[in-house]
Amino acid sequence: MTAGKSGGDLTTDVSAWLDSARTIAADAGKILMNWYGGPCRTERKGVVDLVTEADRAAESHILGAIRERFPEHSVLAEESAGTEWRVLADEGIRAEAPLWLIDPLDGTTNFAHGFPWFCVSIGVAVKGEVLAGVVHDPLRGETFEAAKGIGARFNGARVSVSSARSLDESLLVTGFAYDIRTNPETNLDTFARFALRCQGVRRTGSAALDLCAVAAGRADGFWELRLKPWDTAAGWLIVQEAGGRVTDGRGDSFHLTAPVIVASNGRIHGEMIETLRTVKG
């Protein structure tokens, strides 16, 4: 992690960060596509947690690009954070310098198996508040982005959440933590409960794209346990700027190290929180 301070007008700064994040994410996406579908060495970080050569190549490019453009900023990236990620996140949230939160390949397991659902996620936060975010899907050529207070966009056009008013008419998305085999809190009971209350639940394998699906109205709600800051930073802002709501699992304000994230179009949020509370009870 590198640290320093940002200077100048914040509005101008955020615009520059967003422009850079968009370009850097697109370039990282090209790197991923160079590897996708071909030979790519895969290693295990855990029982079901993978990392590939593509993850590392994309992250290396992203880190180099950020340090070249913003050498005074802090960076927290998935593959270089290691086991100290929480300490690094806390340091970055407290620091004066903008903190870049990087997932160079969200959906690594999908990518490694040739399943076409993965992306690059880049968020920029100042003292825990995400001010700019970009999620880029290189396979489909889709880019979601947002800056605090100016709305969310999909390939340059304004985007907004769905109008679904109840769980009964909603499509939800979720995921399962990498420690599903070892942690007794698995999300399986919650998945079953939601499946009985809504039109459908999808498990795609990319939290960042799931959040963007909510922002674009492709899904009405999303929840997941034990995500990392780089998984949620950009998508969190994009959902909010698209008119949605993001909280923790109790319905309280979300933060980058929250153990549960719940995102929705806002209209079904209360039902989602109540369902989570029912399962916990």
Side-chain angles (χ1 to χ4, degrees):
M1 173 177 282
T2 58
K5 292 187 178 181
S6 173
D9 177 70
L10 185 59
T11 300
T12 301
D13 288 344
V14 172
S15 178
W17 303 340
L18 185 62
D19 288 345
S20 292
R22 185 189 309 114
T23 298
I24 294 169
D27 290 343
K30 293 175 184 176
I31 292 172
L32 296 182
M33 292 307 298
N34 286 338
W35 289 96
Y36 183 61
C40 187
R41 188 172 67 250
T42 301
E43 301 171 14
R44 289 180 181 269
K45 295 189 288 184
V47 178
V48 294
D49 191 5
L50 306 179
V51 61
T52 70
E53 290 179 286
D55 291 79
R56 293 195 171 106
E59 182 169 303
S60 178
H61 171 78
I62 294 169
L63 294 180
I66 293 170
R67 287 166 180 159
E68 179 180 352
R69 291 171 170 81
F70 308 103
E72 75 280 12
H73 290 191
S74 301
V75 179
L76 180 62
E78 179 177 13
E79 303 311 330
S80 56
T83 59
E84 298 299 315
W85 71 266
R86 189 175 292 276
V87 173
L88 295 175
D90 289 341
E91 289 176 354
I93 290 169
R94 291 194 302 268
E96 293 289 336
L99 173 65
W100 290 68
L101 297 133
I102 310 301
D103 194 337
L105 174 49
D106 187 39
T108 297
T109 301
N110 289 344
F111 185 92
H113 287 271
F115 189 83
W117 196 257
F118 55 88
C119 68
V120 180
S121 179
I122 301 177
V124 190
V126 176
K127 292 186 175 180
E129 181 181 16
V130 183
L131 300 179
V134 172
V135 174
H136 176 61
D137 177 347
L139 196 59
R140 295 170 183 78
E142 295 187 346
T143 301
F144 300 86
E145 63 182 74
K148 188 73 173 180
I150 66 170
R153 293 185 178 274
F154 164 57
N155 284 356
R158 291 295 293 268
V159 69
S160 61
V161 296
S162 75
S163 59
R165 295 189 173 276
S166 69
L167 276 180
D168 185 61
E169 61 180 287
S170 295
L171 178 67
L172 305 183
V173 281
T174 191
F176 298 103
Y178 284 122
D179 60 358
I180 187 171
R181 297 188 188 179
T182 58
N183 192 314
E185 191 174 12
T186 63
N187 197 29
L188 291 169
D189 289 343
T190 310
F191 185 99
R193 184 63 60 88
F194 273 119
L196 294 173
R197 294 200 59 187
C198 68
Q199 288 192 342
V201 182
R202 303 290 180 260
R203 197 283 191 190
T204 70
S206 170
L209 284 179
D210 287 346
L211 286 163
C212 290
V214 174
R218 295 173 175 176
D220 307 296
F222 165 75
W223 86 98
E224 193 164 340
L225 286 61
R226 296 190 296 281
L227 289 171
K228 304 297 194 302
W230 49 79
D231 296 313
T232 59
W236 170 22
L237 177 64
I238 292 168
V239 170
Q240 287 189 320
E241 289 297 317
R245 184 181 178 191
V246 183
T247 69
D248 67 11
R250 297 175 298 182
D252 297 329
S253 297
F254 183 70
H255 56 85
L256 286 170
T257 55
V260 179
I261 184 172
V262 183
S264 77
N265 64 3
R267 298 172 177 85
I268 66 169
H269 210 87
E271 286 186 273
M272 291 188 69
I273 295 299
E274 183 56 36
T275 300
L276 287 167
R277 288 174 178 163
T278 300
V279 174
K280 298 294 183 184

